[in-house]
Amino acid sequence: MKPEDREALWRVLEARRDHRHFRTDPVDDAALLRILDAFRVAPSVGLSQPWHVTVVRNAALRQTVYDSFAGVRAREQERFQGERRALYSTLKLEGIREAPVGLVVSFVPPVQATLGTTSLPAALEYSVVSAITLAWLAATAEGLGLGWVSLVEPGAVHEALGLAPHLRPLAYLCLGHPALDLHEPLLQTVGWAERRPLALDWRD
Ligand SMILES: Cc1cc2nc3c(=O)[nH]c(=O)nc-3n(C[C@H](O)[C@H](O)[C@H](O)COP(=O)(O)O)c2cc1C
């Protein structure tokens, strides 16, 4: 790889943000397909590729996902007290209705034994997460914003979208044109949390 390749990669890594504010105009189909193509090149334990993606452009279905989010958010807010709860109530934690595309990334449990999962079966789910990260970077390179919403009930998403019984939704991703230019994690900007230095030690 040339130095300019490394620099280009780092521009993408640094520019990637979790977005919650979106414009509502559509995402170009060719860009969407390039982002989905990130799953093709993603690593997975035993080359299991245990994922399935459902593209949700239907606004009524996205509203149903939002309804699930609203319930989870209300419950989550109760877990914080005092000033922390007040700050939580101001946070925007999703862009499900504004973002024109939702991506439900489901885990597909393999039917047969998978190489590499004997001591750590969760490596299968980790594989799905690592693939999502590549798609996140691909979206960034397209100039699009992606936001990961974990505050939804997997069962509600499964039912609303009529997913096949063997699929286990792991992530709901909002994809669209970002409405805000973010240069640091939004949760840091609003004073909820801060980036920390890497916890690191060495065994030379
Ligand atoms: C597994 C996962 C779940 C997340 N779920 C949410 C979520 O439900 N709502 C939200 O606003 N951000 C969510 N985020 C985004 C994080 O808040 C964000 O990555 C973090 O604050 C750092 O910001 P950055 O991604 O812009 O660097 C999630 C991120 C990950 C990796």
Side-chain angles (χ1 to χ4, degrees), residues 16-18 20 92-94 136 148-151 184-187 195:
R16 185 212 55 78
R17 290 272 72 79
D18 186 85
R20 296 98 173 168
K92 179 154 169 62
L93 296 173
E94 51 68 49
W136 207 334
W148 188 325
V149 187
S150 50
L151 287 94
E184 63 173 4
L186 192 57
L187 289 182
R195 271 179 162 173

Side-chain angles (χ1 to χ4, degrees), residues 5 12 28 44 47 49 77 113 176:
D5 295 331
V12 176
D28 174 62
S44 61
L47 194 55
Q49 304 155 81
Q77 186 161 322

